């Protein structure tokens, strides 16, 4: 599949992810190539013939803007910029993120407002399509005058320098290019600056996380529908007419997901009569799931819209606008490289992730609490253990601790660093977004959040297995008045019959269920059957080592496996 880089169309999130994950190639359209060449000729003529000073073309960078550069040194100026600015630190960034960064920078340059040659865009796309990915350290950008350090590491590869990932190994760029049949490009006037003036690195992380969080949110909604059924909750909290009176888009959408996931559930119908369950309201982690997760939906949705706008924008300095004759030679300096419009939405994604993780953990807490899990027992220990077996069993207790630890770690990652400005470049760049470091932390929270959702899913699977094993569910059904009277008489007769002995008695109220009534909704029952058949998290009948099973389950959650299985029965439209 080919994705067209064309100044007359916009890339979608799906386009961006497809190229980033290597499922599509990016190709510069003929019309855009012609437009870029024409505009390059216009600005070259204006600069060389009229000899007027222009930042990025024949002047130094940053606070060196007052230094004029001779024409014979203009190409050296561009290469020196790249080499001197490639000062990143830390571990190499994920290859998918780097590929998305390359695509976004190429697309921004292809808008036609940077005055670069079409060959520069094609050089980036050639690397992408050949599977050559620059090694880009994750840290070093303040997210203001562009992601200068990360983009410079990418630009180094464009000119044949630095290191890359290619065919499963890290090798020098020149070796990879030779193998792939590519040649480095020689930068011309303005082109080094154009490669680095934008926050595509930050935006690439934001867009990739946005894609992943959409999968996570749907998985969280599936967990919500499962938990509601395991905990014998009603589906009325998710009715469309109920949410119509407070119609936040996200809450309405998530409520619709959970509602449809719970329909035709035999176990729900088994306690539909209020007298069976007797509980008026469930805790907020179930009752308010649509409102809580709906807020995450709205945060993700707005972030996607803004980040996609950024992906299809010209982010350079200076920008070349048309003059009165339509020639793109009006050189306008400004701040389109500044990262704050992206940083605030990266933080929105961090909030959305935190909301999902927090809700999942609260439900995990309930699963191991015998006073709140409606008959599932302490720590979800398997029913029927002997007294001795029960005394030496911890069940699934410790998974709640692990979930708490992961959630606390996410909170630590959630510092809003975009609110903490540090002036740079001798005060010339005195307000920077600091959003790129925030984006890097956001990316690193994804596995933690997926692990929290996987722990909740492990509790859910164990809870379903216990429900199916038991023959009854707790009930708050009222007893006839004569029962209390008979119990009182019995206790009166028994007490006093032995010295030091006190007799007490009570009635355990339980509602019997048939095997058919123990089934969940079709989509949820299908998910349980498939996960059971695949042994992704086997039932815990006796204490055992669970860490690897949960880790595999977390990987399955992260790759959208849960959503894919449910999708065989039910489509959850965004």
């Amino acid at each position: 599949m080919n994705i067209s880089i064309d100044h007359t169309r916009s890339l979608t999130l799906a386009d961006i992810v497809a190229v980033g994950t290597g499922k599509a190639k990016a190709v510069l359209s003929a019309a855009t190539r012609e437009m870029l060449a024409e505009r390059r000729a216009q600005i070259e003529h204006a600069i060389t013939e009229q000899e007027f000073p222009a930042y990025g073309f024949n002047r130094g960078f940053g606070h060196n803007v007052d230094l004029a550069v001779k024409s014979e040194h203009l190409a050296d100026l561009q290469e020196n910029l790249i080499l001197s600015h490639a000062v990143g630190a830390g571990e190499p960034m994920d290859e998918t993120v780097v590929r998305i960064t390359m695509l976004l920078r190429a697309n921004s340059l292809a808008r036609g407002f940077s005055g670069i040659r079409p060959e520069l865009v094609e050089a980036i796309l050639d690397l992408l399509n050949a599977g050559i990915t620059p090694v880009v350290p994750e840290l070093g950008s303040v997210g203001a005058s562009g992601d200068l350090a990360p983009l410079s590491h990418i630009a180094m590869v464009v000119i044949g320098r630095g290191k890359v990932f290619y065919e499963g190994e890290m090798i020098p760029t020149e070796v990879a290019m030779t193998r792939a049949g590519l040649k480095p490009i020689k930068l011309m006037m303005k082109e080094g600056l154009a490669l680095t003036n934008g926050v595509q690195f930050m935006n690439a992380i934001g867009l990739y996380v946005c894609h992943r969080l959409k999968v996570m949110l749907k998985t969280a909604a599936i967990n919500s529908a499962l938990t509601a059924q395991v905990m014998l909750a009603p589906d009325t909290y998710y009715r469309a007419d109920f949410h119509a009176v407070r119609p936040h888009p996200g809450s309405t959408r998530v409520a619709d997901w959970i509602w449809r996931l719970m329909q035709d559930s035999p176990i729900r119908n088994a306690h539909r009569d209020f007298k069976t369950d007797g509980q008026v309201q469930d805790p907020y982690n179930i009752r308010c799931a649509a409102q809580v997760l709906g807020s995450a939906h709205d945060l993700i949705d707005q972030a996607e819209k803004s980040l996609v706008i950024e992906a299809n924008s010209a982010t350079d300095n200076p920008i070349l606008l048309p003059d009165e004759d339509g020639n793109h030679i009006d050189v306008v300096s400004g701040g389109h490289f500044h990262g704050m419009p992206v940083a605030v939405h990266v933080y929105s994604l961090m909030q959305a992730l935190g909301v999902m993780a927090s809700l999942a953990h609260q439900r995990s807490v309930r699963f191991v609490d015998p006073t709140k899990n409606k008959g599932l027992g302490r720590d979800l220990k398997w029913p029927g253990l002997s007294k001795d077996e029960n005394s030496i069993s911890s069940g699934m207790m410790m998974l709640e601790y692990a979930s708490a630890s992961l959630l606390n770690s996410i909170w630590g990652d959630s510092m809003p660093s975009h609110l903490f400005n540090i002036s740079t470049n001798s005060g010339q760049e005195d307000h920077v977004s600091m959003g790129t470091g925030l984006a890097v932390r956001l990316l690193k929270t994804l596995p933690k959040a997926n692990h929290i959702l996987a722990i909740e899913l492990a509790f859910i699977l164990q809870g379903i297995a216990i429900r199916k094993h038991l023959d009854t569910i707790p009930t708050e059904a009222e007893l006839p008045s004569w029962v209390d009277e008979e119990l009182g008489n019995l206790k009166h007769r028994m007490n006093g019959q032995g010295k030091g002995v006190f007799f007490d008695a009570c009635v355990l109220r339980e509602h019997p269920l048939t095997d058919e009534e123990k089934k969940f909704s079709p989509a949820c029952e299908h998910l349980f059957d498939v996960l059971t058949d695949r042994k992704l998290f086997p039932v815990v009948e006796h204490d055992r080592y669970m860490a690897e099973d949960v880790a595999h389950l977390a990987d399955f959650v992260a790759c959208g496996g849960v959503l894919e299985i449910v999708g065989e029965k039910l489509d959850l439209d965004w």
Side-chain angles (χ1 to χ4, degrees):
M1 180 174 73
N2 287 341
I3 302 297
S4 177
I5 303 300
D6 191 310
H7 66 291
T8 65
R9 69 177 294 272
S10 294
L11 296 176
T12 66
L13 180 58
D15 293 335
I16 293 165
V17 172
V19 175
T21 54
K23 296 177 181 177
K25 293 187 176 182
V27 180
L28 185 65
S29 74
T32 297
R33 191 185 200 288
E34 182 180 350
M35 176 272 295
L36 291 174
E38 180 182 355
R39 294 185 183 180
R40 175 66 182 191
Q42 292 170 359
I43 191 63
E44 281 187 348
H45 178 269
I47 295 292
T48 58
E49 296 298 323
Q50 300 175 31
E51 298 184 353
F52 66 79
Y55 177 73
F57 290 89
N58 52 18
R59 287 294 183 273
F61 305 116
H63 60 211
N64 294 318
V65 65
D66 58 326
L67 301 179
V69 180
K70 295 179 180 179
S71 59
E72 61 266 29
H73 297 313
L74 293 180
D76 293 335
L77 172 68
Q78 304 302 316
E79 184 167 323
N80 287 349
L81 170 73
I82 298 304
L83 297 178
S84 66
H85 282 44
V87 293
E91 296 298 314
M93 176 49 69
D94 177 88
E95 289 185 57
T96 298
V97 170
V98 176
R99 286 179 56 84
I100 292 175
T101 304
M102 296 166 71
L103 175 69
L104 297 184
R105 194 66 209 143
N107 191 52
S108 179
L109 296 175
R111 297 290 100 182
F113 299 99
S114 294
I116 51 86
R117 296 170 296 152
E119 289 85 355
L120 185 62
V121 176
E122 290 174 329
I124 300 172
L125 299 182
D126 286 344
L127 291 167
L128 261 179
N129 295 334
I132 297 176
T133 306
V135 175
V136 180
E138 61 186 8
L139 301 176
S141 173
V142 297
S145 295
D147 285 319
L148 297 176
L151 292 179
S152 292
H153 281 276
I154 293 174
M156 280 181 64
V157 173
V158 176
I159 63 175
R161 310 288 284 271
K163 293 184 177 181
V164 298
F165 293 111
Y166 183 60
E167 296 181 336
E169 56 182 339
M170 183 191 295
I171 57 178
T173 297
E174 60 267 27
V175 175
M177 281 189 161
T178 299
R179 287 187 194 173
L182 300 179
K183 293 183 179 180
I185 191 171
K186 179 71 174 178
L187 297 179
M188 304 300 287
M189 180 174 58
K190 172 68 164 56
E191 292 181 332
L193 184 64
L195 284 171
T196 61
N197 253 332
V199 287
Q200 279 72 34
F201 190 65
M202 185 201 311
N203 199 34
I205 297 174
L207 286 163
Y208 181 57
V209 171
C210 193
H211 165 70
R212 296 279 299 276
L213 289 187
K214 292 173 80 170
V215 174
M216 186 185 293
L217 182 63
K218 291 181 180 181
T219 304
I222 293 168
N223 278 7
S224 298
L226 287 163
T227 298
Q229 292 173 81
V230 175
M231 292 297 179
L232 310 177
D235 52 12
T236 50
Y237 306 136
Y238 316 113
R239 283 170 43 174
D241 57 350
F242 175 69
H243 282 271
V245 304
R246 194 193 189 197
H248 289 288
S251 296
T252 302
R253 177 62 68 190
V254 174
D256 174 68
W257 292 346
I258 302 174
W259 169 266
R260 289 190 289 125
L261 285 162
M262 291 184 68
Q263 293 315 290
D264 303 317
S265 169
I267 196 168
R268 163 65 185 120
N269 292 331
H271 62 86
R272 190 170 292 276
D273 187 342
F274 172 77
K275 294 179 181 178
T276 301
D277 184 56
Q279 185 164 346
V280 178
Q281 292 182 336
D282 288 274
Y284 286 1
N285 60 67
I286 290 178
R287 185 166 25 126
C288 303
Q291 290 85 349
V292 174
L293 295 179
S295 299
H297 181 285
D298 288 341
L299 287 167
I300 297 168
D301 199 50
Q302 183 56 54
E304 178 183 351
K305 292 174 182 176
S306 294
L307 298 182
V308 168
I309 288 174
E310 180 75 10
N312 292 288
S313 296
T315 57
D316 204 344
N317 184 50
I319 290 288
L320 306 186
L321 298 177
D323 64 7
E324 62 273 11
D325 297 322
N327 295 319
H328 283 69
I329 60 172
D330 185 4
V331 181
V332 182
S333 292
H336 281 345
F337 48 67
H338 202 286
M340 194 56 78
V342 175
V344 292
H345 292 291
V346 167
Y347 194 69
S348 291
L349 295 175
M350 181 72 87
Q351 291 184 84
L353 181 147
V355 165
M356 287 185 269
S358 178
L359 185 69
H361 174 71
Q362 288 306 122
R363 293 198 292 236
S364 293
V365 171
R366 188 180 179 196
F367 269 107
V368 295
D369 187 342
T371 67
K372 296 178 181 177
N373 65 18
K374 294 191 175 181
L376 295 177
R378 180 178 296 175
D379 301 321
L380 295 184
K381 297 178 186 179
W382 190 249
L385 293 178
S386 68
K387 184 176 181 180
D388 287 341
E389 288 175 320
N390 190 61
S391 68
I392 62 172
S393 175
S394 294
M396 297 177 69
M397 174 180 69
M398 204 58 201
L399 284 179
E400 184 219 331
Y401 289 59
S403 178
S405 173
L406 289 164
L407 182 60
N408 183 259
S409 179
I410 289 173
W411 289 346
D413 291 332
S414 299
M415 187 189 81
S417 48
H418 61 303
L419 302 182
F420 297 86
N421 174 60
I422 299 175
S423 178
T424 59
N425 198 234
S426 303
Q428 175 72 1
E429 298 163 9
D430 58 353
H431 186 285
V432 298
S433 76
M434 292 298 180
T436 307
L438 172 63
V440 171
R441 294 202 313 276
L442 170 64
L443 184 65
K444 291 186 174 183
T445 64
L446 275 175
K448 300 173 188 178
N450 281 316
H451 210 101
I452 290 173
L453 263 67
I455 288 173
E456 182 193 14
L457 183 56
F459 283 134
I460 289 169
L461 295 173
Q462 180 78 355
I464 293 175
I466 292 174
R467 283 274 181 246
K468 290 180 177 295
H469 181 81
L470 297 173
D471 294 324
T472 62
I473 58 174
T475 178
E476 298 294 328
E478 294 184 7
L479 297 172
S481 59
W482 59 265
V483 174
D484 286 336
E485 184 178 344
E486 289 295 323
L487 281 176
N489 291 337
L490 178 62
K491 286 187 280 188
H492 179 75
R493 289 197 303 271
M494 295 295 293
N495 282 320
Q497 300 302 311
K499 188 174 181 181
V501 176
F502 176 78
F503 176 80
D504 196 9
C506 65
V507 174
L508 296 178
R509 290 177 287 183
E510 295 185 341
H511 179 79
L513 294 184
T514 65
D515 287 344
E516 182 63 29
E517 288 176 320
K518 297 175 189 176
K519 291 183 177 180
F520 284 57
S521 65
C524 293
E525 190 75 18
H526 175 63
L527 175 63
F528 176 73
D529 289 343
V530 172
L531 294 181
T532 300
D533 290 343
R534 296 185 185 179
K535 298 181 180 179
L536 275 172
F537 188 84
V539 173
V540 181
E541 295 187 5
H542 300 280
D543 280 10
R544 63 175 176 82
Y545 177 59
M546 295 178 286
E548 289 185 3
D549 286 339
V550 175
H552 292 152
L553 194 57
D555 290 340
F556 189 72
V557 166
C559 73
V562 171
L563 183 59
E564 182 179 346
I565 294 170
V566 169
E568 295 171 2
K569 297 290 183 179
L570 195 66
D571 186 28
L572 302 181
D573 296 328
W574 184 259

